[in-house]
Amino acid sequence: AQTVTQSQPEMSVQEAETVTLSCTYDTSESNYYLFWYKQPPSRQMILVIRQEAYKQQNATENRFSVNFQKAAKSFSLKISDSQLGDTAMYFCAFMKHAGANSKLTFGKGITLSVRP
Amino acid sequence: NAGVTQTPKFRVLKTGQSMTLLCAQDMNHEYMYWYRQDPGMGLRLIHYSVGEGTTAKGEVPDGYNVSRLKKQNFLLGLESAAPSQTSVYFCASRRVGAFDTEAFFGQGTRLTVV
């Protein structure tokens, strides 16, 4: 079974600065997908970024980028130029494949606060 | 675009009462999921469905039942609610496809069992 570990329960960052959220996972699969989801106070789950394990290039989406280290089974999220709207809970998630019986496995989440 | 809609958004139940949470999606997605979110636990999968008429157990299925009679709807039932089922429940759906990995979530249902 796959596991996803987010060991930091909370982090805080000054507005306009950069912050990195950590995530590790455990799997015996060679091909899989990794995700970061954002959950603001509205409770809505929003996909931030996705990484395919077979791609060596790290995914980027505007101010959000990942550091994917396959051998170390590490998948961290870097948020550049932090904004007040980035205040949210962030979940790291794993999916074995895109097939029918593949599901998202989530970490416990980290609460990020952006200070003005 | 409605996307994934959950009904109700909030509910308070007494121990032993039953209720059904409705999830409706208008994206013609094959796969649907029910998760629960508890503080410090992340989201955990309760049940899921890979198509109309099919359901399967997830990580924490005890105390819950589901049905997928129509492709667009996925119902989560609590036959006899317990305080341990106090949680926020999320429904999600996903397309069929070799690279279709994005799950779309509803807005959640906050359930309190007293």
Side-chain angles (χ1 to χ4, degrees):
Chain A
Q2 289 76 29
T3 58
V4 178
T5 302
Q6 295 179 254
S7 56
Q8 308 155 300
E10 296 180 357
M11 286 193 75
S12 180
V13 64
Q14 194 74 32
E15 191 176 9
E17 293 188 345
T18 296
V19 63
T20 298
L21 311 183
S22 300
C23 173
T24 59
Y25 59 95
D26 189 27
T27 183
S28 59
E29 304 290 330
S30 57
N31 289 322
Y32 48 86
Y33 299 86
L34 294 162
F35 308 82
W36 279 98
Y37 276 86
K38 172 185 178 181
Q39 186 182 48
S42 67
R43 211 166 62 195
Q44 184 66 46
M45 293 288 287
I46 303 164
L47 177 63
V48 174
I49 200 164
R50 170 178 56 198
Q51 174 78 44
E52 294 89 342
Y54 62 85
K55 290 186 178 179
Q56 293 187 343
Q57 187 173 6
N58 288 325
T60 61
E61 287 288 343
N62 300 313
R63 297 183 296 108
F64 299 88
S65 61
V66 299
N67 183 5
F68 174 48
Q69 301 289 328
K70 190 172 184 179
K73 295 180 181 175
S74 171
F75 183 60
S76 60
L77 175 69
K78 186 171 81 171
I79 305 174
S80 304
D81 185 25
S82 296
Q83 300 176 359
L84 296 178
D86 296 333
T87 291
M89 180 163 279
Y90 288 82
F91 292 97
C92 179
F94 173 100
M95 181 182 287
K96 192 164 59 172
H97 54 73
N101 289 303
S102 189
K103 294 84 68 178
L104 282 166
T105 299
F106 287 90
K108 294 183 178 181
I110 178 171
T111 300
L112 176 67
S113 300
V114 180
R115 306 185 304 273
Chain B
N1 291 338
V4 180
T5 303
Q6 292 182 229
T7 308
K9 293 183 177 56
F10 303 92
R11 184 74 186 267
V12 178
L13 280 182
K14 293 183 179 179
T15 298
Q17 286 185 322
S18 64
M19 78 162 293
T20 300
L21 280 67
L22 170 63
C23 177
Q25 52 95 2
D26 62 0
M27 297 173 283
N28 202 36
H29 287 174
E30 285 291 337
Y31 308 149
M32 296 186 74
Y33 310 86
W34 276 108
Y35 289 88
R36 60 177 288 172
Q37 180 182 6
D38 302 291
M41 301 294 291
L43 279 76
R44 294 179 292 167
L45 183 66
I46 305 171
H47 286 281
Y48 66 101
S49 168
V50 299
E52 183 178 322
T54 71
T55 63
K57 294 181 180 179
E59 182 186 353
V60 288
D62 294 343
Y64 305 95
N65 57 76
V66 288
S67 65
R68 182 101 181 266
L69 299 179
K70 293 183 179 180
K71 185 177 182 179
Q72 64 267 32
N73 296 336
F74 194 27
L75 280 65
L76 178 70
L78 287 74
E79 291 186 349
S80 180
S84 61
Q85 293 177 305
T86 292
S87 188
V88 178
Y89 292 85
F90 284 95
C91 176
S93 69
R94 187 163 70 89
R95 282 178 58 186
V96 173
F99 302 100
D100 283 305
T101 57
E102 182 174 358
F104 294 83
F105 285 81
Q107 73 274 44
T109 296
R110 181 175 293 279
L111 175 65
T112 303
V113 183
V114 298

